[in-house]
């Protein structure tokens, strides 16, 4: 049998030759258990945050100032971040590959969350010189971060829409040798 035609049975199955079927299956099951644990903790965190948001909303009835509203917005954005992380875990498990876009979206949401919180807090610091300048600098850095993450997400989506190299268009014409 020629050397090029000889392949091991495990390579034909798509399993690596050294680890074997049992080892590969054990690693897959372990990976799923870890992802299930992460998902369970994220669901628990989201539920606790929702309960905290309910408590904060109830507190709005007695304290009609901006602080409870800011706290509620902060908690709800945190719930949104946790749910997006849960989506990222689910996508990773379904597609069996790590996708960057859900994590970029989490970064954008987290940055916007901090911008909202810092902008309200910086309004209280007007006239305090260094404190106010520090808050404005943080907001500017977070704004640049949002733009960069958004640009990265846009470029990633654009790349995913493009056909793979070699898959598009007719084959290259063959050269004729005279």
């Amino acid at each position: 049998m020629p050397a090029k035609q000889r392949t091991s049975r495990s390579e034909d199955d798509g399993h690596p030759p050294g680890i074997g079927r049992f080892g590969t299956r054990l690693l897959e099951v372990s990976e799923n258990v870890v992802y299930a644990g992460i998902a369970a903790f994220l669901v628990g965190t989201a539920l606790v945050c929702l309960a905290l948001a309910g408590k904060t909303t109830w507190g709005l009835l007695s304290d009609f100032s901006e602080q409870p509203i800011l706290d509620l917005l902060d908690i709800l954005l945190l719930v949104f971040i946790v749910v997006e992380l849960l989506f990222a875990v689910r996508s990773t498990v379904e597609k069996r590959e790590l996708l960057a876009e859900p994590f970029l979206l989490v970064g954008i949401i987290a940055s916007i969350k901090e911008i909202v919180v810092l902008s309200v807090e910086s309004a209280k610091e007007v006239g305090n010189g260094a404190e106010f300048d520090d808050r404005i600098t943080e907001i500017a850095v977070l704004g640049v971060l949002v733009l960069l993450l958004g640009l990265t997400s846009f470029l990633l989506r654009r790349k995913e829409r493009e056909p793979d190299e070699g898959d598009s268009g007719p084959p290259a014409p063959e050269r004729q040798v005279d």
Side-chain angles (χ1 to χ4, degrees):
M1 182 182 255
K4 285 188 177 181
Q5 291 179 350
R6 279 188 229 149
T7 57
S8 70
R9 182 174 164 86
S10 61
E11 287 176 4
D12 291 339
D13 295 345
H15 297 287
I19 198 165
R21 283 181 190 240
F22 176 74
T24 301
R25 185 70 186 135
L26 181 65
L27 289 175
E28 286 176 4
V29 169
S30 301
E31 183 180 335
N32 287 336
V33 168
V34 170
Y35 280 132
I38 291 170
F41 278 111
L42 287 172
V43 167
T45 301
L47 292 174
V48 168
C49 286
L50 280 176
L52 188 58
K55 179 182 172 193
T56 305
T57 302
W58 185 258
L60 280 173
L61 297 174
S62 62
D63 183 8
F64 222 56
S65 66
E66 73 179 30
Q67 190 58 45
I69 294 172
L70 181 62
D71 291 343
L72 179 62
L73 182 61
D74 193 32
I75 293 166
L76 290 176
L77 286 171
L78 184 60
V79 170
F80 197 56
I81 290 169
V82 170
V83 170
E84 284 299 319
L85 283 171
L86 187 60
F87 172 75
V89 169
R90 185 171 56 96
S91 297
T92 300
V93 170
E94 283 178 358
K95 297 184 180 181
R96 296 312 239 178
E97 62 184 3
L98 188 61
L99 302 174
E101 191 172 6
F103 294 101
L104 291 172
L105 187 58
V106 167
I108 291 170
I109 295 167
S111 299
I112 291 172
K113 172 187 168 293
E114 284 303 309
I115 288 172
V116 169
V117 171
L118 285 172
S119 63
V120 172
E121 290 177 356
S122 66
K124 297 175 187 175
E125 300 294 333
V126 173
N128 284 350
E131 287 289 324
F132 180 74
D133 291 344
D134 290 345
R135 302 280 166 113
I136 295 301
T137 302
E138 285 182 64
I139 291 171
V141 169
L142 288 168
V144 170
L145 181 63
V146 168
L147 290 174
L148 290 174
L149 289 171
L151 177 64
T152 304
S153 180
F154 171 76
L155 292 174
L156 187 65
R157 282 186 182 192
R158 187 171 164 199
K159 182 186 179 312
E160 288 175 354
R161 285 189 209 134
E162 292 177 358
D164 291 336
E165 284 185 36
D167 289 347
S168 64
E174 293 182 26
R175 290 187 172 180
Q176 292 182 351
V177 179
D178 293 323

